[in-house]
Each structure stands twice: as C-alpha cells, then as structure tokens.
Short mmCIF file of all heavy atoms in Angstrom, two decimals:
data_model
loop_
_atom_site.label_atom_id
_atom_site.label_comp_id
_atom_site.label_asym_id
_atom_site.label_seq_id
_atom_site.Cartn_x
_atom_site.Cartn_y
_atom_site.Cartn_z
N ARG B 701 -115.97 -12.92 -198.61
CA ARG B 701 -116.15 -14.38 -198.64
C ARG B 701 -114.84 -15.05 -198.57
O ARG B 701 -113.85 -14.74 -199.27
CB ARG B 701 -116.80 -14.76 -200.07
CG ARG B 701 -118.10 -14.08 -200.38
CD ARG B 701 -119.27 -14.53 -199.45
NE ARG B 701 -120.46 -13.77 -199.69
CZ ARG B 701 -121.59 -13.89 -199.02
NH1 ARG B 701 -121.65 -14.86 -198.03
NH2 ARG B 701 -122.66 -13.08 -199.22
N ARG B 702 -114.73 -16.06 -197.61
CA ARG B 702 -113.49 -16.75 -197.35
C ARG B 702 -113.63 -18.16 -197.18
O ARG B 702 -114.63 -18.59 -196.57
CB ARG B 702 -112.83 -16.10 -196.06
CG ARG B 702 -112.36 -14.73 -196.24
CD ARG B 702 -112.22 -14.00 -194.90
NE ARG B 702 -111.22 -14.51 -194.04
CZ ARG B 702 -110.95 -13.97 -192.89
NH1 ARG B 702 -111.37 -12.87 -192.41
NH2 ARG B 702 -109.92 -14.45 -192.13
N GLU B 703 -112.79 -19.07 -197.83
CA GLU B 703 -112.89 -20.42 -197.73
C GLU B 703 -112.43 -20.99 -196.38
O GLU B 703 -111.47 -20.52 -195.87
CB GLU B 703 -112.11 -21.06 -198.84
CG GLU B 703 -112.22 -22.61 -198.91
CD GLU B 703 -111.42 -23.22 -200.05
OE1 GLU B 703 -110.68 -22.48 -200.70
OE2 GLU B 703 -111.41 -24.41 -200.15
N PHE B 704 -113.21 -21.83 -195.85
CA PHE B 704 -113.00 -22.37 -194.47
C PHE B 704 -112.95 -23.95 -194.54
O PHE B 704 -113.77 -24.52 -195.13
CB PHE B 704 -114.06 -21.92 -193.59
CG PHE B 704 -113.82 -22.22 -192.08
CD1 PHE B 704 -113.14 -21.26 -191.41
CD2 PHE B 704 -114.52 -23.28 -191.50
CE1 PHE B 704 -112.96 -21.58 -189.94
CE2 PHE B 704 -114.32 -23.54 -190.18
CZ PHE B 704 -113.51 -22.74 -189.44
N ASP B 705 -111.96 -24.48 -193.77
CA ASP B 705 -111.77 -25.87 -193.72
C ASP B 705 -112.48 -26.47 -192.49
O ASP B 705 -112.11 -26.08 -191.32
CB ASP B 705 -110.32 -26.16 -193.69
CG ASP B 705 -110.09 -27.80 -193.83
OD1 ASP B 705 -110.81 -28.56 -193.19
OD2 ASP B 705 -109.22 -28.14 -194.63
N LEU B 706 -113.54 -27.26 -192.57
CA LEU B 706 -114.39 -27.68 -191.51
C LEU B 706 -113.50 -28.62 -190.61
O LEU B 706 -113.80 -28.84 -189.49
CB LEU B 706 -115.67 -28.26 -191.92
CG LEU B 706 -116.89 -27.38 -192.10
CD1 LEU B 706 -118.08 -28.10 -192.48
CD2 LEU B 706 -117.12 -26.61 -190.84
N GLU B 707 -112.59 -29.38 -191.14
CA GLU B 707 -111.88 -30.34 -190.42
C GLU B 707 -110.77 -29.68 -189.58
O GLU B 707 -110.65 -29.98 -188.36
CB GLU B 707 -111.20 -31.39 -191.38
CG GLU B 707 -112.31 -32.20 -192.10
CD GLU B 707 -111.63 -33.17 -193.08
OE1 GLU B 707 -110.32 -33.23 -193.09
OE2 GLU B 707 -112.40 -33.90 -193.82
N SER B 708 -110.03 -28.68 -190.12
CA SER B 708 -109.00 -28.09 -189.35
C SER B 708 -109.42 -26.86 -188.65
O SER B 708 -108.77 -26.37 -187.73
CB SER B 708 -107.81 -27.62 -190.29
OG SER B 708 -108.33 -26.66 -191.27
N ARG B 709 -110.73 -26.46 -188.89
CA ARG B 709 -111.32 -25.32 -188.29
C ARG B 709 -110.51 -23.99 -188.55
O ARG B 709 -110.31 -23.15 -187.70
CB ARG B 709 -111.46 -25.44 -186.71
CG ARG B 709 -112.24 -26.68 -186.27
CD ARG B 709 -113.68 -26.60 -186.78
NE ARG B 709 -114.38 -27.84 -186.47
CZ ARG B 709 -115.04 -28.13 -185.36
NH1 ARG B 709 -114.95 -27.22 -184.38
NH2 ARG B 709 -115.69 -29.25 -185.17
N THR B 710 -109.97 -23.88 -189.72
CA THR B 710 -109.18 -22.74 -190.05
C THR B 710 -109.58 -22.22 -191.54
O THR B 710 -110.14 -22.92 -192.40
CB THR B 710 -107.74 -23.00 -190.16
OG1 THR B 710 -107.52 -24.06 -191.12
CG2 THR B 710 -107.15 -23.46 -188.80
N PHE B 711 -109.35 -20.99 -191.71
CA PHE B 711 -109.50 -20.35 -193.08
C PHE B 711 -108.38 -20.90 -193.93
O PHE B 711 -107.24 -20.96 -193.49
CB PHE B 711 -109.56 -18.87 -193.04
CG PHE B 711 -110.77 -18.29 -192.52
CD1 PHE B 711 -110.82 -17.75 -191.11
CD2 PHE B 711 -112.01 -18.28 -193.17
CE1 PHE B 711 -111.99 -17.29 -190.63
CE2 PHE B 711 -113.16 -17.71 -192.67
CZ PHE B 711 -113.11 -17.21 -191.36
N VAL B 712 -108.72 -21.30 -195.12
CA VAL B 712 -107.78 -21.95 -196.03
C VAL B 712 -106.76 -20.99 -196.60
O VAL B 712 -107.17 -20.03 -197.24
CB VAL B 712 -108.52 -22.65 -197.15
CG1 VAL B 712 -107.47 -23.31 -198.15
CG2 VAL B 712 -109.54 -23.67 -196.64
N GLU B 713 -105.49 -21.23 -196.23
CA GLU B 713 -104.41 -20.42 -196.81
C GLU B 713 -104.38 -20.52 -198.34
O GLU B 713 -104.27 -21.60 -198.85
CB GLU B 713 -103.05 -20.81 -196.16
CG GLU B 713 -101.97 -19.90 -196.50
CD GLU B 713 -100.68 -20.27 -195.84
OE1 GLU B 713 -100.70 -21.24 -195.04
OE2 GLU B 713 -99.62 -19.66 -196.12
N ASP B 714 -104.34 -19.35 -198.92
CA ASP B 714 -104.36 -19.41 -200.51
C ASP B 714 -105.61 -20.04 -200.99
O ASP B 714 -105.66 -20.50 -202.19
CB ASP B 714 -103.14 -20.08 -201.05
CG ASP B 714 -101.87 -19.37 -200.61
OD1 ASP B 714 -101.86 -18.21 -200.41
OD2 ASP B 714 -100.87 -20.12 -200.45
N GLY B 715 -106.63 -19.97 -200.23
CA GLY B 715 -107.96 -20.58 -200.70
C GLY B 715 -108.78 -19.56 -201.45
O GLY B 715 -108.33 -18.38 -201.78
N TYR B 716 -110.07 -19.82 -201.64
CA TYR B 716 -110.97 -18.91 -202.33
C TYR B 716 -111.18 -17.74 -201.42
O TYR B 716 -111.74 -17.87 -200.25
CB TYR B 716 -112.23 -19.56 -202.79
CG TYR B 716 -111.98 -20.58 -203.94
CD1 TYR B 716 -112.17 -21.92 -203.66
CD2 TYR B 716 -111.61 -20.13 -205.10
CE1 TYR B 716 -112.03 -22.85 -204.67
CE2 TYR B 716 -111.43 -21.08 -206.14
CZ TYR B 716 -111.61 -22.38 -205.95
OH TYR B 716 -111.34 -23.26 -206.97
N VAL B 717 -110.95 -16.50 -201.75
CA VAL B 717 -111.23 -15.26 -201.03
C VAL B 717 -111.73 -14.20 -201.90
O VAL B 717 -111.18 -13.96 -202.94
CB VAL B 717 -109.99 -14.77 -200.23
CG1 VAL B 717 -110.24 -13.50 -199.52
CG2 VAL B 717 -109.36 -15.90 -199.20
N LEU B 718 -112.82 -13.59 -201.54
CA LEU B 718 -113.25 -12.39 -202.29
C LEU B 718 -113.40 -11.18 -201.28
O LEU B 718 -113.99 -11.32 -200.16
CB LEU B 718 -114.64 -12.59 -202.81
CG LEU B 718 -114.77 -13.66 -204.01
CD1 LEU B 718 -116.20 -13.85 -204.38
CD2 LEU B 718 -113.93 -13.16 -205.15
N PRO B 719 -112.81 -9.99 -201.65
CA PRO B 719 -112.98 -8.83 -200.76
C PRO B 719 -114.48 -8.34 -200.70
O PRO B 719 -115.27 -8.84 -201.54
CB PRO B 719 -112.12 -7.84 -201.41
CG PRO B 719 -111.90 -8.30 -202.81
CD PRO B 719 -112.04 -9.72 -202.82
N GLU B 720 -114.78 -7.44 -199.88
CA GLU B 720 -116.11 -6.93 -199.61
C GLU B 720 -116.74 -6.50 -201.00
O GLU B 720 -116.22 -5.62 -201.76
CB GLU B 720 -116.11 -5.76 -198.71
CG GLU B 720 -117.64 -5.25 -198.45
CD GLU B 720 -117.62 -4.06 -197.58
OE1 GLU B 720 -116.72 -3.33 -197.68
OE2 GLU B 720 -118.55 -3.89 -196.81
N SER B 721 -117.95 -7.01 -201.22
CA SER B 721 -118.58 -6.80 -202.55
C SER B 721 -119.87 -7.52 -202.58
O SER B 721 -120.23 -8.43 -201.70
CB SER B 721 -117.76 -7.21 -203.77
OG SER B 721 -117.62 -8.61 -203.81
N LYS B 722 -120.68 -7.35 -203.66
CA LYS B 722 -121.91 -8.15 -203.85
C LYS B 722 -121.59 -9.17 -204.90
O LYS B 722 -122.53 -9.73 -205.55
CB LYS B 722 -123.16 -7.29 -204.30
CG LYS B 722 -123.53 -6.26 -203.18
CD LYS B 722 -124.75 -5.52 -203.60
CE LYS B 722 -125.29 -4.69 -202.53
NZ LYS B 722 -126.50 -3.90 -202.94
N SER B 723 -120.38 -9.60 -205.02
CA SER B 723 -120.01 -10.66 -205.94
C SER B 723 -120.74 -11.99 -205.42
O SER B 723 -121.10 -12.18 -204.35
CB SER B 723 -118.45 -10.90 -205.85
OG SER B 723 -117.80 -9.79 -206.27
N GLN B 724 -120.78 -12.92 -206.39
CA GLN B 724 -121.46 -14.19 -206.18
C GLN B 724 -120.34 -15.31 -206.34
O GLN B 724 -119.55 -15.31 -207.28
CB GLN B 724 -122.57 -14.43 -207.12
CG GLN B 724 -123.45 -15.65 -206.82
CD GLN B 724 -123.11 -16.85 -207.80
OE1 GLN B 724 -122.39 -16.77 -208.76
NE2 GLN B 724 -123.70 -17.99 -207.49
N ILE B 725 -120.41 -16.23 -205.47
CA ILE B 725 -119.47 -17.49 -205.55
C ILE B 725 -120.24 -18.63 -205.10
O ILE B 725 -120.97 -18.59 -204.07
CB ILE B 725 -118.21 -17.15 -204.72
CG1 ILE B 725 -117.19 -18.34 -204.96
CG2 ILE B 725 -118.51 -16.95 -203.28
CD1 ILE B 725 -115.87 -18.02 -204.35
N ALA B 726 -120.08 -19.77 -205.82
CA ALA B 726 -120.80 -21.03 -205.52
C ALA B 726 -119.97 -22.18 -205.95
O ALA B 726 -119.27 -22.27 -206.98
CB ALA B 726 -122.10 -21.07 -206.31
N TRP B 727 -120.05 -23.26 -205.15
CA TRP B 727 -119.17 -24.44 -205.36
C TRP B 727 -119.59 -25.17 -206.60
O TRP B 727 -120.77 -25.30 -206.87
CB TRP B 727 -119.30 -25.48 -204.19
CG TRP B 727 -118.66 -24.98 -202.93
CD1 TRP B 727 -119.31 -24.50 -201.80
CD2 TRP B 727 -117.26 -24.92 -202.68
NE1 TRP B 727 -118.28 -24.28 -200.83
CE2 TRP B 727 -117.07 -24.46 -201.33
CE3 TRP B 727 -116.12 -25.30 -203.34
CZ2 TRP B 727 -115.83 -24.33 -200.80
CZ3 TRP B 727 -114.87 -25.14 -202.80
CH2 TRP B 727 -114.78 -24.63 -201.50
N ARG B 728 -118.60 -25.76 -207.33
CA ARG B 728 -118.84 -26.69 -208.35
C ARG B 728 -118.29 -28.01 -207.89
O ARG B 728 -119.00 -28.94 -207.70
CB ARG B 728 -118.16 -26.36 -209.65
CG ARG B 728 -118.75 -25.11 -210.32
CD ARG B 728 -118.02 -24.85 -211.69
NE ARG B 728 -118.39 -25.81 -212.68
CZ ARG B 728 -117.40 -26.68 -213.33
NH1 ARG B 728 -116.24 -26.70 -213.05
NH2 ARG B 728 -117.89 -27.49 -214.24
#
C-alpha cells in the first residue's frame, strides 16, 4: 500500500507506505 498524490500524479515521498501484507489501512 502506497500513498499517491492525485494532483502531482506521484507517490508521496515519506508518505504512508506498507510493505506486502494483509494489513489494513484506511483514511481518517
């Protein structure tokens, strides 16, 4: 899971990132 910026069309540097797993992540 990787955070992506829709305006700049890039993955966010130092953003939310999870390596391969069945982890769960959801926006607050």
Side-chain angles (χ1 to χ4, degrees):
R701 305 287 172 184
R702 292 158 65 175
E703 185 179 1
F704 186 83
D705 189 316
L706 272 180
E707 295 178 5
S708 66
R709 305 293 177 87
T710 58
F711 288 103
V712 178
E713 187 176 355
D714 298 325
Y716 292 111
V717 176
L718 292 177
E720 184 185 29
S721 66
K722 292 186 179 181
S723 299
Q724 187 260 352
I725 185 170
W727 289 108
R728 293 183 74 242

